[in-house]
Amino acid sequence: MNVEKTGGRPFGSGRCSSLSGSPGAAPVVHRMVEAMSQLREEKAQLQEELVALRERLAVRDSEQQATSTQLQNQVEHLKEKLISQAQEVSRLRSELGGTDLEKHRDLLMVENERLRQEMRRCEAELQELRAKPAAPCAGCEHSQESAQLRDRLSQLQLEVAENKGLLSELNLEVQQKTDRLAEVELRLKDCLAEKAQEEERLSRRLRDSHETIASLRAQSPPIKYVIKTVEVESSKTKQALSESQARNQHLQEQVAMQRQVLKEMEQQLQSSHQLTAQLRAQIAMYESELERAHGQMLEEMQSLEEDKNRAIEEAFARAQVEMKAVHENLAGVRTNLLTLQPALRTLTNDYNGLKRQVRGFPLLLQEALKSVKAEIGQAIEEVNSNNQELLRKYRRELQLRKKCHNELVRLKGNIRVIARVRPVTKEDGEGPEATNAVTFDPDDDSIIHLLHKGKPVSFELDKVFSSQASQQDVFQEVQALITSCIDGFNVCIFAYGQTGAGKTYTMEGTPENPGINQRALRLLFSEVQEKASDWEYTITVSAAEIYNEVLRDLLGQEPQEKLEIRLCPDGSGQLYVPGLTEFQVQSVEDINKVFEFGHTNRTTEFTNLNEHSSRSHALLIVTVRGVDCSTGLRTTGKLNLVDLAGSERVGKSGAEGSRLREAQHINKSLSALGDVIAALRSRQGHVPFRNSKLTYLLQDSLSGDSKTLMVVQVSPVEKNTSETLYSLKFAERVRSVELGPGSRRTELGSWSSQEHLEWEPACQTSQPSARAHSAPGSGTTSRPGSIRRKLQPSGKSRPLPV
Ligand code: ADP
Ligand code: MG
């Protein structure tokens, strides 16, 4: 009986506890579902808000579009106004035409240009505004932030969707477990009901058995039998009981197992609750983030909105200001137009007046032309008579000029002596013999110093050219002489000096650097060209040489033929050389041909030209003949360019035979030249022209108004100092024969050829031999070391004998 009682109680209490757990799971799931639906609602709300915001943005965009179109309309309007103004201005411009109006027009054009620029600016701003909605705040930090927020939002939305999926899966699981629980509970209920029925039946049978036993005990013997039967039956019942107990045990085990399962399920439910709570927390976090992002986005939108509004307002204000300025300009233009109108009226009046004047102009012009013609005729007559007068005066002036020139030449002294020192050359060699012995005075270009045998000697000439002087420098000095040839003067230029001192270089020069000869002819050509309008000139050239007192034609067909100097048969007293070839030259090419021809003649004639040329005098005779086209006046000028034979004193070195003869001839002719020049310079009565072929040939060119220049060539090196000293003494001696103002010397000792040879330099005093020009007490020196001899007057100068 005890067993029955204890077995029944635990079963009953176990059933109660298992039944109280199953209704608790349903509310949790319910709450989760509720939370889910709440989240869904919130999401829908957010989406709605987003849509609303988008709509607002669209509205703003359309508003902005409207503003911009409005602004564009305004700009269009302004453009139209401008165009109309420009048309009006152009109309006015076409109507008007005066100078005052042009100023106004210019002003209007400037204003117009300015207005155009403003309009262009407005258009640019408009373009900017248009560009803004298409790319809101492109590149600004707000837009970047909002894009980030949008990205974050979409991320969060994705996460929410994921969580929702997870939640729904959990819900499904919970549902399944709840169903299984309900099933297990149902089965447990059935088992319990079955067990209760069995117990009921068994207890009823037990009670029946007890009652039967008791009745049987009361009935004694039969009862014993009955008891025995009952006992037999009771063992059967006991077996049935133990069976039912075993079954009960099995059921209890099953219930415990079910409880275990329930417990596990409860734990699972618990964890799913926790998961749900976590998810909720996450969702709450996402929501707050969403909220924040939303807030930021709203702020962003707000600031963008404000920016946009501000920009629109600013643009609008600017447009208004510009509009105002345009209006003001318009007003200015209008007032300008008003002021222009009276000017236009006066201009029209002026124009009409001018028109009337122009109509009457041809008549006036004819009259004026008539009177002017008469005036011009009169003026021409006057000019003609003036011209005649001027021509007469010109001719007189020409005569006067020539007279003056003659006088000037007479006063200045028509013989000038200059020196030119050649540079030291390779041919001079090296060593003490080749050292420089010549120096110059830096302050006076007419002084030259020579160191001879250790003693300094100085000379004064008309000019001294140092070794640095160029061909052009030298030519500059002689230029005036050459041009005077065109005016009909005779000119002689001599190059004097020892062989190798640079005579030929100075006269002929080199092809690259020509000397006086070629430069003189070039100058003559250019001068003649300049005068070509009034004068007709012909320039002819002859070339001759004098060797051993024999004159030869260098341009003739037979150069070896001896030429004679004769008096002109016309009784003019002029000399001429029959058979001397004359070439007319017109250009530099002609000169070159002539020179070349002369050179070839000389080369073929003499095998050693250098030696020969140093022992002969070479003459280039240029004759310039001119005719004055207006007067018929004729002039003839002769330019004699002479490269003299070497002045070195060969006789002293004991030369013999032909060499001695050559030297004697050279010395004779050079002495004669010295004599003639001295005689001329001192205005001597008798000039010994006939003492040599050279002086005789040049008689015309040395006498009268003619001019002579002696270029004394000097070698600078030590070994030549003796000859240099000799040359410089010769030069100074020629020069020192000077004419004092109003005083003339009639007599002067001549230089014999012997003297030319034997004249030794007086180095220390630098005083030339007094024998040559003995004029007692007349010697004066202008500066130390120089010789200057004043010559005494001797009465009138005679015309030079022929
Ligand atoms: P000359 O005719 O007196 O015998 P050259 O004219 O033949 O002497 O000159 C002798 C040398 O010196 C030539 O080689 C010449 O080129 C040279 N010479 C002379 N004078 C000059 C100068 N001023 N500059 C350069 N070289 C010169
Ligand atoms: Mg020479």
Side-chain angles (χ1 to χ4, degrees), residues 104-142:
H104 285 295
R105 181 200 62 194
D106 292 346
L107 277 170
L108 284 173
M109 270 163 75
V110 170
E111 276 175 9
N112 215 355
E113 188 54 40
R114 202 171 57 73
L115 287 173
R116 261 194 205 125
Q117 281 175 1
E118 276 174 14
M119 197 183 77
R120 273 199 287 274
R121 218 176 51 233
C122 275
E123 276 178 342
E125 276 171 15
L126 198 69
Q127 286 294 329
E128 262 179 35
L129 278 172
R130 268 186 206 150
K132 261 186 188 172
C137 296
C140 95
E141 55 177 309
H142 292 309

Short mmCIF file of all heavy atoms in Angstrom, two decimals, residues 104-142:
data_model
loop_
_atom_site.label_atom_id
_atom_site.label_comp_id
_atom_site.label_asym_id
_atom_site.label_seq_id
_atom_site.Cartn_x
_atom_site.Cartn_y
_atom_site.Cartn_z
N HIS A 104 31.49 112.20 -79.12
CA HIS A 104 30.37 111.59 -78.41
C HIS A 104 30.23 110.13 -78.81
O HIS A 104 29.97 109.27 -77.99
CB HIS A 104 29.08 112.33 -78.75
CG HIS A 104 29.00 113.67 -78.05
ND1 HIS A 104 28.92 113.79 -76.70
CD2 HIS A 104 29.02 114.92 -78.54
CE1 HIS A 104 28.88 115.08 -76.37
NE2 HIS A 104 28.96 115.79 -77.49
N ARG A 105 30.38 109.91 -80.11
CA ARG A 105 30.26 108.53 -80.61
C ARG A 105 31.28 107.63 -79.93
O ARG A 105 30.96 106.53 -79.50
CB ARG A 105 30.50 108.54 -82.12
CG ARG A 105 30.36 107.18 -82.74
CD ARG A 105 31.04 107.12 -84.05
NE ARG A 105 32.46 107.38 -83.84
CZ ARG A 105 33.28 107.65 -84.84
NH1 ARG A 105 32.85 107.75 -86.07
NH2 ARG A 105 34.56 107.85 -84.60
N ASP A 106 32.51 108.15 -79.83
CA ASP A 106 33.57 107.34 -79.19
C ASP A 106 33.19 107.02 -77.76
O ASP A 106 33.34 105.88 -77.31
CB ASP A 106 34.90 108.10 -79.22
CG ASP A 106 35.41 108.20 -80.64
OD1 ASP A 106 34.87 107.48 -81.50
OD2 ASP A 106 36.33 109.01 -80.86
N LEU A 107 32.62 108.08 -77.06
CA LEU A 107 32.22 107.85 -75.66
C LEU A 107 31.18 106.75 -75.59
O LEU A 107 31.25 105.84 -74.77
CB LEU A 107 31.63 109.13 -75.08
CG LEU A 107 32.65 110.15 -74.54
CD1 LEU A 107 31.96 111.46 -74.24
CD2 LEU A 107 33.29 109.60 -73.27
N LEU A 108 30.18 106.88 -76.50
CA LEU A 108 29.11 105.89 -76.51
C LEU A 108 29.65 104.50 -76.78
O LEU A 108 29.22 103.52 -76.16
CB LEU A 108 28.09 106.25 -77.58
CG LEU A 108 27.15 107.40 -77.24
CD1 LEU A 108 26.31 107.77 -78.41
CD2 LEU A 108 26.28 107.05 -76.06
N MET A 109 30.60 104.43 -77.69
CA MET A 109 31.18 103.13 -78.02
C MET A 109 31.87 102.51 -76.81
O MET A 109 31.75 101.31 -76.54
CB MET A 109 32.18 103.26 -79.17
CG MET A 109 31.48 103.08 -80.51
SD MET A 109 32.44 103.67 -81.85
CE MET A 109 33.63 102.40 -81.96
N VAL A 110 32.58 103.39 -76.06
CA VAL A 110 33.28 102.90 -74.86
C VAL A 110 32.26 102.37 -73.86
O VAL A 110 32.42 101.27 -73.31
CB VAL A 110 34.11 104.04 -74.23
CG1 VAL A 110 34.63 103.63 -72.87
CG2 VAL A 110 35.27 104.39 -75.14
N GLU A 111 31.15 103.16 -73.66
CA GLU A 111 30.11 102.72 -72.70
C GLU A 111 29.50 101.41 -73.15
O GLU A 111 29.26 100.50 -72.36
CB GLU A 111 29.03 103.79 -72.61
CG GLU A 111 29.42 104.89 -71.62
CD GLU A 111 28.41 106.00 -71.61
OE1 GLU A 111 27.35 105.87 -72.21
OE2 GLU A 111 28.70 107.04 -70.99
N ASN A 112 29.26 101.36 -74.43
CA ASN A 112 28.66 100.17 -75.02
C ASN A 112 29.52 98.96 -74.73
O ASN A 112 29.03 97.90 -74.30
CB ASN A 112 28.62 100.40 -76.53
CG ASN A 112 27.39 99.77 -77.11
OD1 ASN A 112 26.64 99.11 -76.40
ND2 ASN A 112 27.17 99.95 -78.37
N GLU A 113 30.80 99.13 -74.91
CA GLU A 113 31.76 98.04 -74.69
C GLU A 113 31.71 97.58 -73.24
O GLU A 113 31.69 96.39 -72.94
CB GLU A 113 33.18 98.54 -75.05
CG GLU A 113 34.23 97.45 -75.05
CD GLU A 113 33.88 96.26 -75.92
OE1 GLU A 113 33.34 96.46 -77.02
OE2 GLU A 113 34.10 95.15 -75.47
N ARG A 114 31.64 98.61 -72.33
CA ARG A 114 31.60 98.29 -70.90
C ARG A 114 30.35 97.48 -70.56
O ARG A 114 30.39 96.48 -69.87
CB ARG A 114 31.63 99.59 -70.10
CG ARG A 114 32.14 99.41 -68.67
CD ARG A 114 32.34 100.74 -68.00
NE ARG A 114 31.12 101.56 -67.97
CZ ARG A 114 30.07 101.33 -67.19
NH1 ARG A 114 30.07 100.33 -66.35
NH2 ARG A 114 29.01 102.11 -67.25
N LEU A 115 29.21 97.95 -71.11
CA LEU A 115 27.95 97.25 -70.86
C LEU A 115 28.01 95.82 -71.35
O LEU A 115 27.54 94.89 -70.69
CB LEU A 115 26.80 97.97 -71.56
CG LEU A 115 26.36 99.30 -70.94
CD1 LEU A 115 25.36 99.99 -71.81
CD2 LEU A 115 25.77 99.06 -69.56
N ARG A 116 28.64 95.65 -72.51
CA ARG A 116 28.78 94.30 -73.05
C ARG A 116 29.57 93.41 -72.11
O ARG A 116 29.21 92.26 -71.86
CB ARG A 116 29.51 94.37 -74.39
CG ARG A 116 28.53 94.29 -75.52
CD ARG A 116 29.16 94.04 -76.84
NE ARG A 116 28.25 94.58 -77.83
CZ ARG A 116 28.55 95.46 -78.75
NH1 ARG A 116 29.77 95.89 -78.82
NH2 ARG A 116 27.65 95.89 -79.59
N GLN A 117 30.63 93.99 -71.57
CA GLN A 117 31.47 93.22 -70.63
C GLN A 117 30.67 92.81 -69.40
O GLN A 117 30.73 91.67 -68.95
CB GLN A 117 32.67 94.04 -70.19
CG GLN A 117 33.76 94.03 -71.25
CD GLN A 117 34.90 94.92 -70.89
OE1 GLN A 117 34.89 95.55 -69.84
NE2 GLN A 117 35.89 95.00 -71.77
N GLU A 118 29.86 93.78 -68.88
CA GLU A 118 29.05 93.48 -67.69
C GLU A 118 28.08 92.35 -68.00
O GLU A 118 27.87 91.44 -67.20
CB GLU A 118 28.28 94.72 -67.27
CG GLU A 118 29.12 95.65 -66.41
CD GLU A 118 28.41 96.95 -66.12
OE1 GLU A 118 27.20 97.02 -66.34
OE2 GLU A 118 29.09 97.90 -65.67
N MET A 119 27.50 92.44 -69.19
CA MET A 119 26.54 91.43 -69.57
C MET A 119 27.19 90.06 -69.64
O MET A 119 26.65 89.06 -69.15
CB MET A 119 25.97 91.80 -70.93
CG MET A 119 24.70 91.08 -71.24
SD MET A 119 24.20 91.52 -72.85
CE MET A 119 25.33 90.54 -73.77
N ARG A 120 28.40 90.05 -70.19
CA ARG A 120 29.13 88.78 -70.28
C ARG A 120 29.38 88.20 -68.88
O ARG A 120 29.24 87.01 -68.64
CB ARG A 120 30.47 88.99 -71.00
CG ARG A 120 30.32 88.88 -72.51
CD ARG A 120 31.66 88.63 -73.16
NE ARG A 120 32.49 89.83 -73.18
CZ ARG A 120 32.43 90.75 -74.13
NH1 ARG A 120 31.59 90.63 -75.14
NH2 ARG A 120 33.21 91.80 -74.07
N ARG A 121 29.69 89.12 -67.93
CA ARG A 121 29.93 88.67 -66.56
C ARG A 121 28.68 88.05 -65.96
O ARG A 121 28.71 87.00 -65.35
CB ARG A 121 30.43 89.83 -65.72
CG ARG A 121 31.50 89.40 -64.75
CD ARG A 121 32.09 90.51 -63.95
NE ARG A 121 31.13 91.36 -63.30
CZ ARG A 121 31.10 92.68 -63.43
NH1 ARG A 121 31.97 93.28 -64.18
NH2 ARG A 121 30.19 93.41 -62.80
N CYS A 122 27.52 88.76 -66.16
CA CYS A 122 26.23 88.26 -65.68
C CYS A 122 25.97 86.87 -66.22
O CYS A 122 25.55 85.96 -65.50
CB CYS A 122 25.10 89.18 -66.13
SG CYS A 122 24.87 90.55 -65.03
N GLU A 123 26.25 86.71 -67.53
CA GLU A 123 26.01 85.42 -68.17
C GLU A 123 26.86 84.33 -67.55
O GLU A 123 26.39 83.22 -67.31
CB GLU A 123 26.32 85.52 -69.66
CG GLU A 123 25.13 86.07 -70.42
CD GLU A 123 25.43 86.23 -71.90
OE1 GLU A 123 26.60 86.25 -72.27
OE2 GLU A 123 24.47 86.32 -72.65
N ALA A 124 28.11 84.71 -67.26
CA ALA A 124 29.03 83.73 -66.65
C ALA A 124 28.50 83.28 -65.30
O ALA A 124 28.50 82.08 -64.97
CB ALA A 124 30.40 84.34 -66.51
N GLU A 125 28.00 84.26 -64.50
CA GLU A 125 27.46 83.92 -63.17
C GLU A 125 26.25 83.01 -63.30
O GLU A 125 26.08 82.06 -62.55
CB GLU A 125 27.08 85.20 -62.44
CG GLU A 125 28.28 85.83 -61.76
CD GLU A 125 27.96 87.19 -61.21
OE1 GLU A 125 26.77 87.53 -61.11
OE2 GLU A 125 28.91 87.92 -60.90
N LEU A 126 25.44 83.33 -64.27
CA LEU A 126 24.24 82.53 -64.52
C LEU A 126 24.63 81.09 -64.84
O LEU A 126 24.03 80.14 -64.32
CB LEU A 126 23.50 83.15 -65.71
CG LEU A 126 22.05 82.72 -65.86
CD1 LEU A 126 21.23 83.28 -64.74
CD2 LEU A 126 21.52 83.22 -67.17
N GLN A 127 25.65 80.98 -65.65
CA GLN A 127 26.16 79.64 -66.01
C GLN A 127 26.57 78.89 -64.75
O GLN A 127 26.26 77.71 -64.59
CB GLN A 127 27.38 79.77 -66.94
CG GLN A 127 27.04 80.17 -68.36
CD GLN A 127 26.25 79.12 -69.09
OE1 GLN A 127 26.41 77.95 -68.81
NE2 GLN A 127 25.36 79.51 -69.98
N GLU A 128 27.24 79.64 -63.85
CA GLU A 128 27.69 79.04 -62.60
C GLU A 128 26.51 78.50 -61.81
O GLU A 128 26.50 77.39 -61.32
CB GLU A 128 28.40 80.10 -61.75
CG GLU A 128 29.91 80.05 -61.87
CD GLU A 128 30.52 81.13 -61.03
OE1 GLU A 128 29.97 81.43 -59.95
OE2 GLU A 128 31.53 81.66 -61.48
N LEU A 129 25.47 79.39 -61.71
CA LEU A 129 24.28 79.01 -60.94
C LEU A 129 23.62 77.79 -61.55
O LEU A 129 23.14 76.91 -60.85
CB LEU A 129 23.29 80.17 -60.92
CG LEU A 129 23.56 81.26 -59.89
CD1 LEU A 129 22.65 82.42 -60.09
CD2 LEU A 129 23.42 80.69 -58.49
N ARG A 130 23.63 77.76 -62.90
CA ARG A 130 23.04 76.61 -63.56
C ARG A 130 23.81 75.34 -63.26
O ARG A 130 23.25 74.26 -63.09
CB ARG A 130 23.05 76.84 -65.07
CG ARG A 130 21.76 77.48 -65.53
CD ARG A 130 21.75 77.54 -67.00
NE ARG A 130 20.89 78.63 -67.41
CZ ARG A 130 21.07 79.32 -68.49
NH1 ARG A 130 22.11 79.08 -69.24
NH2 ARG A 130 20.23 80.27 -68.82
N ALA A 131 25.06 75.50 -63.19
CA ALA A 131 25.92 74.32 -62.96
C ALA A 131 25.74 73.75 -61.56
O ALA A 131 25.94 72.58 -61.34
CB ALA A 131 27.37 74.69 -63.21
N LYS A 132 25.36 74.60 -60.61
CA LYS A 132 25.28 74.18 -59.19
C LYS A 132 24.34 73.00 -58.95
O LYS A 132 24.74 72.02 -58.36
CB LYS A 132 24.90 75.37 -58.32
CG LYS A 132 26.13 75.96 -57.65
CD LYS A 132 25.76 77.02 -56.69
CE LYS A 132 26.99 77.74 -56.19
NZ LYS A 132 26.68 78.89 -55.40
N PRO A 133 23.02 73.09 -59.35
CA PRO A 133 22.16 71.96 -59.04
C PRO A 133 22.60 70.67 -59.71
O PRO A 133 22.37 69.60 -59.19
CB PRO A 133 20.78 72.39 -59.55
CG PRO A 133 20.99 73.56 -60.40
CD PRO A 133 22.30 74.16 -60.04
N ALA A 134 23.20 70.79 -60.89
CA ALA A 134 23.65 69.58 -61.58
C ALA A 134 24.71 68.87 -60.75
O ALA A 134 24.75 67.65 -60.69
CB ALA A 134 24.22 69.95 -62.93
N ALA A 135 25.55 69.59 -60.11
CA ALA A 135 26.58 69.00 -59.24
C ALA A 135 26.65 69.78 -57.98
O ALA A 135 27.43 70.71 -57.86
CB ALA A 135 27.92 69.04 -59.97
N PRO A 136 25.76 69.51 -57.02
CA PRO A 136 25.66 70.36 -55.82
C PRO A 136 26.97 70.34 -55.05
O PRO A 136 27.44 69.28 -54.67
CB PRO A 136 24.51 69.75 -55.02
CG PRO A 136 24.33 68.37 -55.56
CD PRO A 136 24.93 68.31 -56.89
N CYS A 137 27.44 71.53 -54.89
CA CYS A 137 28.68 71.75 -54.13
C CYS A 137 29.76 70.75 -54.54
O CYS A 137 30.36 70.11 -53.69
CB CYS A 137 28.45 71.63 -52.64
SG CYS A 137 27.37 72.87 -52.02
N ALA A 138 29.90 70.60 -55.86
CA ALA A 138 30.90 69.64 -56.32
C ALA A 138 32.23 69.93 -55.67
O ALA A 138 32.72 71.04 -55.74
CB ALA A 138 31.02 69.71 -57.84
N GLY A 139 32.74 68.92 -55.02
CA GLY A 139 34.07 69.07 -54.41
C GLY A 139 34.04 69.67 -53.03
O GLY A 139 35.04 69.70 -52.35
N CYS A 140 32.85 70.16 -52.53
CA CYS A 140 32.84 70.74 -51.19
C CYS A 140 32.77 69.64 -50.15
O CYS A 140 32.30 68.53 -50.42
CB CYS A 140 31.73 71.77 -51.02
SG CYS A 140 30.25 71.12 -50.32
N GLU A 141 33.21 69.91 -48.90
CA GLU A 141 33.35 68.87 -47.89
C GLU A 141 32.00 68.34 -47.43
O GLU A 141 31.87 67.16 -47.08
CB GLU A 141 34.17 69.39 -46.71
CG GLU A 141 33.63 70.65 -46.10
CD GLU A 141 34.47 71.05 -44.90
OE1 GLU A 141 34.68 70.18 -44.05
OE2 GLU A 141 34.90 72.21 -44.82
N HIS A 142 30.95 69.23 -47.46
CA HIS A 142 29.62 68.79 -47.04
C HIS A 142 29.13 67.66 -47.92
O HIS A 142 28.56 66.68 -47.43
CB HIS A 142 28.65 69.96 -47.11
CG HIS A 142 28.96 71.01 -46.08
ND1 HIS A 142 29.14 70.72 -44.76
CD2 HIS A 142 29.15 72.34 -46.22
CE1 HIS A 142 29.42 71.83 -44.10
NE2 HIS A 142 29.44 72.84 -44.99
#
